[in-house]
Amino acid sequence: LTGFGLALFIGLIKWFAAFEYSSVPVSPPSALTLAACLFFVIVLLHAPLLGFRRRRLYALAAVPLLALSVAGFMPEKSLVSVFSDSDTRSVLVRHGRAGLFLINPGVSGRKLANSVLHYGEREVEALFISTPARRNWSGLEELARLIRIKKIVTPYGALPPELQGALVRLSALGVQVERAWPQDTLVFGGVEVRPDWSAARDPRARSAGYTGRGPGEGLDWSLKTSGFEIMVLGGGSLVTVKDLPGPAAGRVIENRPGAAVEMEL
């Protein structure tokens, strides 16, 4: 009887969960948001003691709301985060003013969406695909169903039919799709993004260059603005950080399978 009851209960949960908007992806609350909410709840619970006709009740209740409103105008910290699976090297870069950039959406789309939400964002400013190989874009459509993508940038050259079909479907939904050739300059909110043939000096991250024809070819990416320059090399296997004051300057991050790395800039 207990097993039957549990099976019925789980079946009802799955039936209700199948409805649209039964679940909505949200970003995890920050420490400030949690503290403000708890403070507001404590004030409400103590409202009878503070007195409903006294100004101190409403002054205390306004403190967390004021803190949240002020925090909303403060720019987010810039950071770079690298993560990977067996054959994909993904890189996520957040600029405090320009938004979030993602290179190589080749891992699970849901994991990518969770990564975006983890950093408090609900959209990706631009998404870059280094090579037309499936390992560098396989999570694209699943990600687009969960997170808004403003623009997708792909290399020039022949694209596999599966990727071409995905880009056509996403374009119909309002996602901008752009092709980039090495040395082109793309600007996103003050951040200059330049694809390159192969900017890596480290032989571990050097690609064969790019002509738009070879299956093993790939683009490197440079994201530059006042304050930092990030270079994503070798299909995301190596990330270098330049032009930064402090210990982060000149740092090299190796993107190894199963070893996620995050660094604030």
Side-chain angles (χ1 to χ4, degrees):
L1 289 175
T2 303
F4 175 76
L6 286 174
L8 179 61
F9 181 66
I10 293 173
L12 286 172
I13 290 176
K14 291 181 177 180
W15 185 75
F16 281 111
F19 286 104
E20 190 175 4
Y21 300 115
S22 61
S23 64
V24 180
V26 296
S27 303
S30 64
L32 177 62
T33 302
L34 287 173
C37 290
L38 289 174
F39 187 87
F40 188 74
V41 168
I42 291 173
V43 171
L44 289 181
L45 291 175
H46 289 77
L49 297 176
L50 294 171
F52 288 99
R53 294 184 179 182
R54 297 189 178 183
R55 294 182 180 178
R56 61 185 180 184
L57 169 64
Y58 303 100
L60 288 172
V63 169
L65 300 178
L66 181 62
L68 290 178
S69 62
V70 171
F73 291 99
M74 297 177 63
E76 297 284 352
K77 292 183 179 180
S78 299
L79 58 87
V80 57
S81 176
V82 302
F83 47 94
S84 58
D85 58 14
S86 59
D87 61 352
T88 302
R89 306 291 181 267
S90 298
V91 179
L92 188 150
V93 178
R94 185 178 72 186
H95 184 264
R97 296 185 304 275
L100 204 67
F101 304 94
L102 178 62
I103 296 94
N104 295 339
V107 302
S108 162
R110 184 166 292 277
K111 291 181 179 179
L112 292 171
N114 288 338
S115 298
V116 174
L117 293 170
H118 173 74
Y119 291 112
E121 302 287 346
R122 292 295 304 274
E123 63 182 20
V124 174
E125 190 70 26
L127 188 150
F128 306 101
I129 299 175
S130 297
T131 76
R134 180 176 173 78
R135 67 177 182 274
N136 285 329
W137 56 266
S138 59
L140 175 60
E141 287 197 276
E142 185 181 14
L143 172 65
R145 288 194 293 268
L146 301 169
I147 296 293
R148 183 190 175 206
I149 302 173
K150 289 187 176 181
K151 179 176 284 190
I152 299 172
V153 181
T154 69
Y156 272 105
L159 297 179
E162 192 176 0
L163 174 57
Q164 188 67 48
L167 294 176
V168 170
R169 288 188 291 273
L170 293 177
S171 296
L173 296 175
V175 180
Q176 298 181 45
V177 178
E178 186 171 341
R179 308 291 290 274
W181 187 255
Q183 299 299 312
D184 286 349
T185 300
L186 311 172
V187 181
F188 302 90
V191 176
E192 290 188 358
V193 180
R194 290 189 177 184
D196 204 347
W197 273 281
S198 181
R201 296 182 179 179
D202 193 320
R204 294 171 298 174
R206 287 192 66 85
S207 59
Y210 188 78
T211 65
R213 295 190 298 269
E217 297 176 347
L219 291 175
D220 291 335
W221 303 92
S222 170
L223 293 84
K224 185 176 182 180
T225 185
S226 58
F228 74 87
E229 179 181 359
I230 296 173
M231 302 188 73
V232 181
L233 311 173
S237 60
L238 207 66
V239 178
T240 65
V241 181
K242 300 169 59 178
D243 298 338
L244 271 177
R251 173 133 182 223
V252 177
I253 304 173
E254 286 192 59
N255 196 352
R256 298 177 178 176
V261 178
E262 174 189 305
M263 182 176 66
E264 289 190 354
L265 305 177

